[in-house]
Amino acid sequence: MSALDAIKGNWRVLMLVLFLTFAVVALFVPGGIVADDSLAEESIESGPTNLEFGLSLDGGTRIRVPVTGMTAENVAPDAVSDNGEVDQQRLDSIESTLYQELGVDQADATVDVQDDGTVTAEVFVENVTEAEFAAALQKANADASEDDIRDGVTEQTRDQMISTIQTKINEAGLSGGTVYEASTLNDEHYIVVEVPNMDSNELRTLLSERGVVQVVAYYPGEDGNQTKKPVLTNEDIASVDAPELRGEDTPGEPYYVVPVQVRDSSASEFQQQMNDLGFTSEGVGKCDLPEENGNFQFGEGSGSYCLLTEVDNETVAAHSMGDTSSGGGSGLATNMRRGNWANDPSFFMGAQNQQDAQSLSVNLRAGSLRAPLDFENSQIYSIEPSHAEQFKQYSLLIGLLSVITVSGVVYARYTDTRVALPMIVTAMAEVVILLGFAALIRMPLDLSHVAGFIAVVGTGVDDLVIIADEVMDEGDVNSARVFQSRFRKAFWVIGGAAATTVVALSPLAVLSLGDLRGFAIITILGVFIGVIITRPAYGDILRRLLTNQ
Amino acid sequence: MAYFDVPEIDYPRYSNRQLAAVPLAVLAVALLVLSGSFLVYGTPVPLGMDFAGGTELTVQTTTPEGQIPAAFEEQPESVTGAGGNEYIVRFSETDSQTLSEQARENLEQDGNSELVQSVSSTSASFGQQSQQTALLGLVVAFLGMSAVAFLLFRTFVPSIAIVISAFSDLVIPLAFMRLTGIPLSLGTVAGLLMLIGYSVDSDILLNNHILRRSGEFYESTFRAMQTGVTMTITSMAAMLVMAVTAFVFNIDLLQSIGTILFVGLAADLMNTYMLNLSLLRWYKFEGIRS
């Protein structure tokens, strides 16, 4: 037999060997087939293989949560002209009518032009009814009845929230966190946040913080009573630097500040307001708002001129403006009074402690969440890394035990090593190839995938049994032709069985039923690898063993 | 090592009616259990946390099992030991934050390990959505499987025989779940879907041997059985091992998939070689050929 014939005659086995080699390389060679050094380093740290593990085997938290809010679509066709020009004044007027009529914060109602050129109004609070929303829109001369209002928010809002949450997670120093959107059959959408190494309460706290940062002027109004007036919001901030410690060598407690740069567009207005309200004249250095257990006592300390830092309507710090900076140069008040602050509009936002400063900085950088998340209707899964590690070991053990059991049964049935041994080896090869594939595409493995692997061993061996029985049917195989014909017959059944398994599991691979998607994907992949690569190869091996050719 | 052989059953002794009576009776009982349960409880099978909503905490604590409920303001639905000092505490309440805080405050920490090892919580509305999705998944899977069966054999009786026996393969484990109190979870749904795939294998094999091969009816039947029974027993053994070890290690997902598949495959043995076979025999010898 020439070399070419040998290849021709055994190409199925060669394919199997080829795939196995690829799988082993993908699994064990650091960096795998994708020779990327950055990934290689990571995998050396994480374990002996290139396999990636998901939450249930590695620890961490996943939250699936919908966004609070309702939406009225196409409310003001008049605000956008045919050539795409937007009447911003009209949008603003609808928006401010909504604030007034519904009594909600500025952050909780918005009117925006969507990508398709329609105008959408959204309200992000729970205690407003559809009827109230519709009535408020009508007050604003917008085109909306109660029936036009649906639950949920717009895609634009969700996309923005996803990128905000992603930034928040990155800023909080959590690597490997992912945020994505998922939808249900009845077109409800929710946001899925997955973070390794964080417990559920921490993540929930991070996500439930809306992060609306405001700088509020607190000053004696015209009637002599203290008045609050918002002067800057997240949107006015251009850039943020890392928090710094201040006041270590001055009397009083040290405090933290977050250096920020105000947008040029807002700077002169802010400067003007500070001058008008007296912060840069009679109010310089005058902030004596009493504080108890971290809560500021408003109503006392009259005559104060404080710049309050508010996060989600809670005051986290109160400071006055000074005439000299801590470095000894001219202070904020001086520069503003002279009118040259707006040329280099940077200042410091105060915070009580390092943690507040850190979260203030995260909130400023990530921006505020456009809408709150509805934790009442959420799904949370969280597992400690040590516990997950146990699951990992147990899964390996369960997998091994299943393979041993299957081998035992197969051997007991055939009592012929020539038939049973290649069967077991082939079934295991299938799992190795599948694992290699998972490592190659860096699919994070979860418990559900483990179940999938065991199911694959099950179906795989089923098919091998069909092949073995068919091939050995009616006595010994004495020619390659007989073998081929029997093998083809066996394949008809295997193909039919494979088709039903794929059809039965594909809804699960598409539908969002959480954990089950992994199970379905692995099983379907396993069936394909089996039908295309491993099972034909088993036929070849069996033929060689039984016919000596 | 003990080895097993597939016994040859003396089929000619039994009439089609007799053969079909047993699996049909079991199917009827199963349907009765499910409909009765639907009337009494509102659902054919008990719904687990994934579908009904609720919270499950895995805690590691030196507090004795009996005193664990006292740590929570909400009365837990159940507390199960999970080996060592680990316990799984289930609530119908969905405020996982408060519950895990109560656990951290009121239970005794076991050495240095985290008190709350794992939290999982599903809101009722989320569970409702999952229910619909899972139901849709099962229906689509079943219809898809039926379509494949009809495409493969293109004749009514053999195809419908596969569909009926697959239906029974699903209904029997569901009734088993009701009787033993196994709740419907994502894991059991996966088991049921997998069952559709698994159970059809031996039916296709049987139909194929009888309809598409030369050879006498009982001879073909026996050969199909040899292969089919081996296949099913192998899978059952794998699932039994998975269910038992996952039970020992307390891995719910794997335990439910294993249990459901084991019971379903056992039902499949009966359905394939009694129900499907009797229909085929009737079709082959008495049925009107199309």
Side-chain angles (χ1 to χ4, degrees):
Chain A
M1 204 193 286
S2 75
L4 194 66
D5 284 340
I7 292 173
K8 257 191 188 163
N10 296 299
W11 67 272
R12 295 185 185 93
V13 182
L14 289 172
M15 267 252 287
L16 177 66
V17 173
L18 193 72
F19 268 84
L20 263 179
T21 320
F22 264 116
V24 170
V25 170
L27 266 177
F28 295 109
V29 175
I33 289 174
V34 193
D36 186 332
D37 284 344
S38 61
L39 289 167
E41 253 169 60
E42 215 170 288
S43 60
I44 289 169
E45 278 170 4
S46 60
T49 64
N50 292 328
L51 286 174
E52 308 252 326
F53 295 97
L55 278 187
S56 65
L57 296 177
D58 235 4
T61 299
R62 174 176 52 225
I63 296 186
R64 297 191 180 102
V65 61
V67 180
T68 305
M70 48 187 167
T71 304
E73 257 152 83
N74 204 8
V75 289
D78 53 307
V80 182
S81 62
D82 289 338
N83 57 17
E85 238 169 78
V86 178
D87 182 354
Q88 193 59 43
Q89 265 188 329
R90 170 93 170 105
L91 300 188
D92 290 345
S93 94
I94 300 177
E95 214 171 274
S96 51
T97 313
L98 285 179
Y99 304 145
Q100 285 158 16
E101 290 296 316
L102 301 172
V104 296
D105 278 349
Q106 292 213 359
D108 283 330
T110 170
V111 178
D112 280 302
V113 181
Q114 301 295 310
D115 292 338
D116 61 359
T118 59
V119 175
T120 322
E122 289 164 281
V123 172
F124 306 127
V125 283
E126 245 170 281
N127 53 14
V128 170
T129 64
E130 291 186 359
E132 286 166 352
F133 187 19
L137 282 169
Q138 280 154 10
K139 269 266 168 63
N141 288 326
D143 197 12
S145 72
E146 209 176 318
D147 300 332
D148 297 332
I149 292 164
R150 63 169 174 87
D151 254 348
V153 297
T154 58
E155 201 188 324
Q156 209 174 41
T157 300
R158 287 194 304 271
D159 288 347
Q160 249 185 42
M161 291 188 66
I162 288 172
S163 72
T164 308
I165 295 173
Q166 186 76 59
T167 323
K168 270 192 170 203
I169 289 173
N170 294 347
E171 289 291 335
L174 298 157
S175 60
T178 49
V179 188
Y180 54 92
E181 188 189 319
S183 2
T184 62
L185 290 170
N186 28 18
D187 218 31
E188 283 183 57
H189 303 267
Y190 48 94
I191 289 174
V192 189
V193 186
E194 254 186 65
V195 185
N197 301 319
M198 192 176 208
D199 81 27
S200 65
N201 287 8
E202 284 175 78
L203 183 58
R204 239 189 99 151
T205 312
L206 183 80
L207 294 180
S208 45
E209 224 175 58
R210 185 87 175 272
V212 181
V213 180
Q214 272 188 327
V215 175
V216 177
Y218 181 70
Y219 60 99
E222 277 162 17
D223 53 359
N225 289 330
Q226 291 294 114
T227 313
K228 278 190 189 180
K229 184 176 185 180
V231 284
L232 281 179
T233 63
N234 287 38
E235 282 149 31
D236 299 317
I237 308 293
S239 67
V240 184
D241 280 334
E244 292 169 12
L245 183 63
R246 279 298 156 86
E248 297 146 287
D249 36 44
T250 46
E253 278 180 44
Y255 59 98
Y256 283 83
V257 291
V258 180
V260 296
Q261 185 91 21
V262 178
R263 275 184 205 291
D264 289 337
S265 51
S266 321
S268 34
E269 199 196 325
F270 179 50
Q271 179 174 283
Q272 192 60 48
Q273 270 185 315
M274 290 294 100
N275 288 334
D276 291 351
L277 296 176
F279 273 77
T280 56
S281 43
E282 67 262 39
V284 171
K286 276 195 206 146
C287 176
D288 43 10
L289 196 56
E291 184 203 341
E292 262 171 44
N293 308 324
N295 293 318
F296 290 94
Q297 309 295 309
F298 292 105
E300 293 176 44
S302 62
S304 277
Y305 285 86
C306 295
L307 277 181
L308 311 175
T309 308
E310 287 192 348
V311 178
D312 294 339
N313 291 328
E314 216 164 285
T315 309
V316 295
H319 294 287
S320 61
M321 281 190 184
D323 259 336
T324 45
S325 76
S326 53
S330 49
L332 193 56
T334 321
N335 290 337
M336 283 207 171
R337 201 164 49 232
R338 288 180 190 155
N340 53 15
W341 175 80
N343 301 332
D344 178 21
S346 60
F347 79 113
F348 301 103
M349 284 171 95
Q352 293 296 100
N353 52 45
Q354 195 184 0
Q355 204 189 341
D356 278 358
Q358 187 60 40
S359 89
L360 183 65
S361 150
V362 167
N363 285 328
L364 283 170
R365 266 173 234 247
S368 61
L369 274 187
R370 229 170 118 109
L373 294 164
D374 179 13
F375 284 101
E376 295 273 293
N377 292 310
S378 63
Q379 193 183 38
I380 296 172
Y381 176 77
S382 170
I383 181 166
E384 278 297 312
S386 58
H387 201 58
E389 182 63 34
Q390 260 181 356
F391 276 173
K392 212 188 280 179
Q393 290 161 6
Y394 293 162
S395 310
L396 188 65
L397 188 65
I398 293 176
L400 281 177
L401 280 175
S402 309
V403 170
I404 292 171
T405 315
V406 167
S407 312
V409 176
V410 164
Y411 187 79
R413 171 73 183 82
Y414 292 102
T415 55
D416 183 348
T417 332
R418 283 190 308 165
V419 180
L421 192 66
M423 201 180 263
I424 294 156
V425 171
T426 317
M428 298 221 287
E430 204 163 297
V431 175
V432 173
I433 293 176
L434 206 50
L435 280 172
F437 187 76
L440 181 70
I441 63 166
R442 303 194 180 276
M443 175 192 266
L445 297 181
D446 269 316
L447 272 178
S448 61
H449 296 88
V450 173
F453 278 109
I454 293 170
V456 165
V457 175
T459 40
V461 170
D462 275 8
D463 289 357
L464 301 180
V465 167
I466 296 177
I467 295 175
D469 279 5
E470 198 73 49
V471 167
M472 294 186 306
D473 198 17
E474 294 162 28
D476 275 346
V477 185
N478 41 33
S479 81
R481 179 171 301 199
V482 172
F483 176 87
Q484 282 302 344
S485 111
R486 289 180 188 176
F487 185 70
R488 212 167 290 137
K489 277 186 197 160
F491 234 78
W492 193 86
V493 179
I494 292 173
T500 35
T501 308
V502 171
V503 166
L505 286 176
S506 42
L508 220 53
V510 185
L511 295 174
S512 71
L513 261 181
D515 291 345
L516 292 193
R517 187 176 270 173
F519 169 77
I521 290 174
I522 284 290
T523 313
I524 290 173
L525 267 176
V527 168
F528 278 118
I529 291 177
V531 169
I532 298 168
I533 304 159
T534 48
R535 291 160 212 180
Y538 174 71
D540 263 9
I541 296 171
L542 201 59
R543 184 198 63 200
R544 278 185 75 81
L545 291 173
L546 295 180
T547 63
N548 299 321
Q549 9 175 308
Chain B
M1 193 187 230
Y3 73 96
F4 79 91
D5 247 330
V6 179
E8 187 159 6
I9 294 167
D10 190 9
Y11 276 115
R13 261 184 62 193
Y14 307 100
S15 71
N16 287 334
R17 254 168 228 260
Q18 280 174 322
L19 266 185
V22 179
L24 286 178
V26 175
L27 177 62
V29 170
L31 284 173
L32 208 67
V33 167
L34 293 178
S35 45
S37 153
F38 181 72
L39 290 177
V40 177
Y41 302 103
T43 52
V45 279
L47 295 179
M49 202 194 78
D50 296 331
F51 297 118
T55 303
E56 190 182 288
L57 298 182
T58 307
V59 292
Q60 187 169 348
T61 173
T62 47
T63 305
E65 187 170 344
Q67 288 169 29
I68 289 176
F72 302 96
E73 277 166 33
E74 185 82 12
Q75 179 67 23
E77 283 196 338
S78 69
V79 178
T80 12
N85 286 328
E86 254 174 52
Y87 302 93
I88 296 171
V89 195
R90 293 193 174 91
F91 301 88
S92 55
E93 177 73 27
T94 56
D95 184 358
S96 64
Q97 202 162 19
T98 313
L99 291 171
S100 57
E101 268 159 23
Q102 285 171 2
R104 283 195 185 104
E105 273 164 29
N106 303 331
L107 292 172
E108 292 293 326
Q109 198 171 7
D110 180 14
N112 282 329
S113 43
E114 274 299 319
L115 227 155
V116 178
Q117 289 281 328
S118 163
V119 179
S120 95
S121 147
T122 303
S123 74
S125 68
F126 227 99
Q128 192 78 35
Q129 283 171 14
S130 303
Q131 254 181 67
Q132 291 167 1
T133 315
L135 191 67
L136 180 91
L138 274 173
V139 170
V140 171
F142 193 80
L143 293 179
M145 177 277 297
S146 312
V148 173
F150 272 91
L151 272 176
L152 285 176
F153 294 101
R154 297 204 185 99
T155 33
F156 185 72
V157 175
S159 315
I160 203 75
I162 292 181
V163 175
I164 294 173
S165 97
F167 175 73
S168 177
D169 286 352
L170 283 183
V171 170
I172 293 170
L174 280 171
F176 175 84
M177 282 165 67
R178 169 46 88 193
L179 294 176
T180 51
I182 299 176
L184 192 73
S185 61
L186 289 179
T188 39
V189 169
L192 291 170
L193 283 167
M194 199 60 216
L195 201 53
I196 295 181
Y198 262 134
S199 74
V200 169
D201 288 14
S202 50
D203 296 302
I204 293 179
L205 189 80
L206 181 70
N207 280 9
N208 181 54
H209 271 254
I210 290 175
L211 300 175
R212 295 169 56 108
R213 298 287 170 87
S214 53
E216 195 252 339
F217 181 84
Y218 292 107
E219 174 68 31
S220 303
T221 305
F222 177 61
R223 264 201 241 121
M225 269 187 87
Q226 269 194 320
T227 311
V229 172
T230 308
M231 276 161 51
T232 310
I233 300 245
T234 319
S235 304
M236 279 174 81
M239 290 307 143
L240 186 65
V241 167
M242 175 157 119
V244 171
T245 35
F247 169 75
V248 172
F249 294 140
N250 243 294
I251 305 181
D252 260 358
L253 183 78
L254 302 189
Q255 190 198 332
S256 357
I257 295 182
T259 312
I260 290 305
L261 275 170
F262 182 79
V263 174
L265 287 170
D268 181 51
L269 275 181
M270 172 184 77
N271 285 324
T272 307
Y273 303 107
M274 293 177 90
L275 184 62
N276 194 357
L277 186 83
S278 64
L279 281 167
L280 271 179
R281 190 166 66 177
W282 176 82
Y283 169 78
K284 191 100 181 161
F285 294 121
E286 289 156 58
I288 306 141
R289 300 299 175 79
S290 50

